[in-house]
Amino acid sequence: MALSEHEQRLLDEMERGFYQSEADVLQAGSSEPRRLNYRSLVLGIIVVILGIGVLVAGVAVQLLWLGLIGFAVMLGGVILMLSRRSSGPLTVEDITSAGSGPKAPRSRESLSERMERRWDQRMEGER
């Protein structure tokens, strides 16, 4: 069944909007390349090696609590290795807000809610 001229124009407009929004999403996702933080990586490796040493010492002297501490230190080293820290310098606000007490929990949006909100913002911007 053939589309009328009005329906064809609407379909073309919808396709253009879809391709344009798809390009926006692809650009937003690749705006900042992920880089390794070598300082965290090296420090994490050192902490893991230290944890292995404590774990082996705990096994050698047959102290369970020392082995558990060694395992916890190793786990902390792995977490430190995998963490990505912000590359920007610390500001005065960062330092003062760090010790200001508990913060209100942020509301977490699901992926579908974020995508829907971004879509609505794009559509409102085109009007």
Side-chain angles (χ1 to χ4, degrees):
M1 181 173 161
L3 297 175
S4 69
E5 185 178 321
H6 177 69
E7 291 171 334
Q8 187 65 38
R9 277 187 284 137
L10 283 175
L11 182 61
D12 290 340
E13 184 179 325
M14 288 172 58
E15 285 179 348
R16 279 193 304 271
F18 174 73
Y19 289 128
Q20 187 178 29
S21 67
E22 187 178 43
D24 291 344
V25 169
L26 291 176
Q27 278 182 341
S30 63
S31 64
E32 184 177 314
R34 299 187 75 151
R35 294 176 30 184
L36 285 175
N37 187 349
Y38 291 107
R39 183 177 180 193
S40 304
L41 186 68
V42 171
L43 189 60
I45 290 172
I46 291 171
V47 170
V48 166
I49 292 171
L50 180 69
I52 291 173
V54 172
L55 179 70
V56 169
V59 170
V61 294
Q62 295 181 351
L63 293 175
L64 178 65
W65 61 271
L66 189 59
L68 291 175
I69 290 174
F71 180 76
V73 170
M74 284 174 30
L75 184 63
V78 169
I79 291 172
L80 183 63
M81 281 191 317
L82 298 177
S83 69
R84 298 186 187 273
R85 304 202 184 218
S86 63
S87 60
L90 286 177
T91 62
V92 175
E93 294 154 356
D94 292 336
I95 295 169
T96 56
S97 67
S100 64
K103 297 180 182 176
R106 294 187 332 196
S107 63
R108 300 288 296 177
E109 288 182 311
S110 68
L111 176 63
S112 61
E113 290 171 343
R114 284 194 313 263
M115 295 301 286
E116 185 176 348
R117 181 177 44 82
R118 289 178 185 168
W119 176 261
D120 291 340
Q121 288 172 351
R122 275 193 210 101
M123 292 299 117
E124 288 172 4
E126 291 179 5
R127 292 181 190 168

